[in-house]
Amino acid sequence: MQKKIKSALISVYYKDKLDLLVKELDKSGIKIYSTGGTQSFIEGLGIKVTPVEEITSYPSILGGRVKTLHPKIFGGILGRRDNESDIKEMAQYEIPEIDLVIVDLYPFDETVKARKSEEEIIEKIDIGGISLIRAAAKNFKDTLVISSRNDYENLLQLLQDKGGVTDIEQRKLFAAKAFLLSSHYDTLIFNYFNRSFGFEVFKKSELQGKVLRYGENPHQRGIFYGNLYEIFDVLNGKELSYNNLVDVDAAVNLIAEFEEPTVAIMKHTNSCGLASRDSICEAYKAAFACDTVSAFGGIIATNRKLDLATATEMNTLFFEVVIAPDYDEDALALLKSKKNRIILRQKQKVVAAKVSKSLLNGILEQDADRKTEGKSDFKTVTEKAPSAEQIADLTFAIIAVKHLKSNGIALVKNKQLIGSNCGQTSRVDALQNAIRKATEFGFDLHGAVMASDAFFPFPDCVTISAQAGVTAIAQPGGSIKDTDSIEAANMAGQAMVLTGVRHFKH
């Protein structure tokens, strides 16, 4: 069902690119209605425009809060052209048909992000605009709605190629876009108010979605919703895959925990290499030495600008992605020598307050695990207290194990993850595997420290760690058999601290 546009209502906040559109509407002989700043803008182009007040016989009132909220405006948009009763009533009340509605919304989200006052934020809750958009979208059989400046070019093309004639599928498409925008806008407003009240509902809206090559496996479809470019500049390489994104998320969350020059090497969201040193090059060499086998095909994250020396070391390894806050020009040129290697410059930290995932017939949400224990949180429960060096390593180990899948064990020496294991159904298995890995890669465990993501239900892990050479332990505590583990540590001459914080990760 084709319709020719004969009249248009235009009321927009953003005026950029509007001039070309308005000139084409005027050229096509389309009658233009407008109000306020948009009316002044159109008149400034030398184009005739009919003020909305001439239709409503009512001025803009309440400081501009009420301009278009009037039956003659909404009747012109909602009137059904194939409904005899509607047509008679429109004639009776002198309601003009409005075939095209071009309206955008006040910048509510931008105002919130700019930390404006509540009064300013509330004034940016659009009422008239969103009502006009919804009305036009509802009556897509007769009315075309343009709810974003991003669609000005599409409308311009329609006007130029089709002479202002649209079909039902085109109008329905723009209606769908309008409801997408209005629902997103309402979600932003609700989430702002819900900061104060904490209603137990899940409201999340992302306007951008990127189809990935595939999901976790080639037979699964994958889409990323969000704007990755707010966080990263992509400097080189192929498109990020589903698995790349999952690992990148794990990498940036881990590396954000460190202040010293640090490098993390990730595989399947777990660190296979992690070290802090005085320079980023030394940190990389130490991180790579943790597990030179698993590092192949991994993701590297750093918290310092990458120099040529570090890039030269890295370039001998095949890896999928590198993330850094910046790169020296010569380092970047070297890293770009592999055309598929993804190089990301991180512009800002990821500071999500909540994490969520779909399961069963709903969504599970929780606070992000932002707790990291340090010296002030440690409660020494053994006869021997940890030394200053051991406290530094225990703090490092807690960060490492916090970011491993449970059950997780981290073995650390001199701020280097020399052994780890994760995702085990038995904590004993996790420890034994961590010891085996450390031994395979030539590390001396004597003087190392151990961190566990959860308490020890039995003293077996303490005993096994002591036999391997571990001299200090950090664990949450909370088992009814904590005393057994403490006694085992005392017998072995180990220092043990309880943190009171569990770090399960599933």
Side-chain angles (χ1 to χ4, degrees):
M1 183 169 55
Q2 294 193 324
K3 294 277 184 178
K4 182 172 177 59
I5 300 170
K6 299 176 183 177
S7 60
L9 171 63
I10 309 174
S11 180
V12 296
Y13 184 86
Y14 297 104
K15 311 297 190 296
D16 47 309
K17 298 183 181 179
L18 183 63
D19 54 343
L20 296 175
L21 189 54
V22 169
K23 288 174 183 177
E24 190 64 35
L25 290 169
D26 183 59
K27 180 181 173 182
S28 301
I30 294 170
K31 186 178 181 67
I32 298 174
Y33 301 101
S34 192
T35 185
T38 308
Q39 178 187 333
S40 300
F41 176 84
I42 296 171
E43 289 173 338
L45 298 172
I47 294 172
K48 184 180 179 182
V49 57
T50 301
V52 164
E53 290 83 354
E54 285 191 17
I55 303 174
T56 64
S57 300
Y58 224 88
S60 172
I61 62 172
L62 305 181
R65 281 189 163 197
V66 180
K67 290 181 284 191
T68 55
L69 294 167
H70 194 280
K72 283 195 173 183
I73 299 299
F74 282 86
I77 296 169
L78 287 164
R80 292 163 289 188
R81 314 309 197 250
D82 60 354
N83 184 293
E84 283 189 28
S85 177
D86 285 7
I87 292 170
K88 286 180 181 179
E89 287 183 346
M90 290 175 75
Q92 178 184 353
Y93 296 108
E94 299 179 334
I95 297 173
E97 292 182 0
I98 297 174
D99 305 314
L100 169 64
V101 173
I102 303 174
V103 174
D104 62 11
L105 300 171
Y106 290 158
F108 175 82
D109 193 35
E110 293 88 335
T111 308
V112 172
K113 287 177 178 176
R115 300 182 182 275
K116 298 292 186 179
S117 67
E118 181 163 273
E119 183 179 355
E120 291 174 290
I121 290 170
I122 297 304
E123 284 307 309
K124 287 298 185 286
I125 297 176
D126 207 310
I127 302 301
I130 204 160
S131 301
L132 291 167
I133 287 171
R134 288 175 62 84
K138 176 177 179 176
N139 198 32
F140 67 87
K141 285 179 64 179
D142 299 298
T143 308
L144 176 67
V145 59
I146 301 296
S147 55
S148 169
R149 55 186 163 169
N150 296 331
D151 279 322
Y152 286 178
E153 191 173 329
N154 293 327
L155 176 58
L156 194 61
Q157 202 73 43
L158 277 174
L159 293 168
Q160 292 171 342
D161 295 350
K162 304 292 184 180
V165 175
T166 63
D167 60 42
I168 187 70
E169 286 305 315
Q170 290 167 334
R171 295 192 297 277
K172 192 171 185 179
L173 171 64
F174 284 111
K177 289 185 176 184
F179 284 123
L180 169 63
L181 184 72
S182 67
S183 64
H184 176 72
Y185 195 73
D186 282 339
T187 296
L188 295 175
I189 295 169
F190 168 77
N191 284 335
Y192 170 75
F193 277 91
N194 203 35
R195 293 177 183 179
S196 301
F197 302 103
F199 294 124
E200 294 171 350
V201 296
F202 186 84
K203 293 280 186 181
K204 179 100 174 146
S205 178
E206 290 289 350
L207 287 178
Q208 298 188 51
K210 181 174 179 56
V211 177
L212 307 174
R213 296 196 301 274
Y214 50 80
E216 201 162 8
N217 299 292
H219 63 278
Q220 295 170 272
R221 187 168 182 261
I223 303 175
F224 174 76
Y225 296 104
N227 183 6
L228 203 63
Y229 303 110
E230 288 181 351
I231 303 171
F232 300 111
D233 289 325
V234 181
L235 305 179
N236 189 69
K238 60 186 179 181
E239 289 190 355
L240 286 155
S241 69
Y242 181 101
N243 292 330
N244 288 156
L245 287 167
V246 173
D247 284 339
V248 165
D249 177 69
V252 298
N253 276 287
L254 172 57
I255 207 70
E257 300 259 20
F258 294 94
E259 297 295 330
E260 296 177 90
T262 303
V263 171
I265 305 175
M266 312 296 290
K267 280 292 278 292
H268 301 294
T269 75
N270 296 294
S271 57
C272 58
L274 182 66
S276 296
R277 290 293 184 266
D278 291 335
S279 74
I280 205 66
C281 187
E282 291 305 312
Y284 170 73
K285 288 191 279 189
F288 176 62
C290 296
D291 185 340
T292 57
V293 175
S294 297
F296 182 86
I299 285 181
I300 303 173
T302 79
N303 61 354
R304 291 292 191 278
K305 187 177 186 179
L306 272 187
D307 56 22
L308 181 60
T310 311
T312 301
E313 291 288 339
M314 288 180 176
N315 206 44
T316 62
L317 173 70
F318 168 74
F319 58 91
E320 293 264 350
V321 184
V322 59
I323 308 159
D326 209 349
Y327 302 82
D328 284 339
E329 286 187 20
D330 49 4
L332 183 59
L334 178 62
L335 292 170
K336 282 184 173 181
S337 63
K338 302 288 193 295
K339 67 176 183 177
N340 286 331
R341 178 182 287 158
I342 300 166
I343 304 174
L344 302 178
R345 178 165 54 214
Q346 188 173 356
K347 298 185 286 187
Q348 63 184 54
K349 288 187 176 181
V350 179
V351 288
K354 304 281 186 181
V355 292
S356 58
K357 61 181 176 181
S358 60
L359 52 75
L360 301 176
N361 62 341
I363 295 168
L364 199 60
E365 183 182 65
Q366 65 173 348
D367 297 335
D369 186 357
R370 297 296 177 201
K371 175 67 176 172
T372 301
E373 306 78 70
K375 180 179 178 180
S376 62
D377 304 295
F378 293 169
K379 178 185 175 183
T380 302
V381 291
T382 47
E383 295 164 0
K384 180 178 286 188
S387 66
E389 291 78 11
Q390 287 174 327
I391 287 173
D393 274 352
L394 288 169
T395 303
F396 185 102
I398 287 170
I399 295 172
V401 81
K402 168 185 168 182
H403 291 268
L404 295 174
K405 296 287 187 184
S406 298
N407 289 311
I409 289 288
L411 302 175
V412 168
K413 190 175 182 180
N414 300 325
K415 296 181 181 177
Q416 182 184 24
L417 184 66
I418 62 172
S420 66
N421 200 247
C422 52
Q424 298 297 324
T425 53
S426 161
R427 196 162 302 280
V428 171
D429 287 346
L431 174 57
Q432 289 176 332
N433 287 335
I435 292 170
R436 177 181 57 79
K437 292 281 281 188
T439 303
E440 284 179 2
F441 288 102
F443 290 106
D444 180 7
L445 283 166
H446 288 87
V449 306
M450 174 176 71
S452 172
D453 62 339
F455 64 63
F456 299 119
F458 303 102
D460 43 11
C461 282
V462 177
T463 302
I464 293 168
S465 71
Q467 291 169 349
V470 170
T471 55
I473 299 170
Q475 58 127 332
S479 168
I480 60 173
K481 294 187 178 181
D482 274 349
T483 54
D484 292 352
S485 294
I486 294 168
E487 287 175 9
N490 281 328
M491 288 179 64
Q494 293 172 306
M496 179 184 288
V497 299
L498 303 185
T499 66
V501 180
R502 189 181 73 186
H503 289 293
F504 270 169
K505 187 182 179 192
H506 296 101

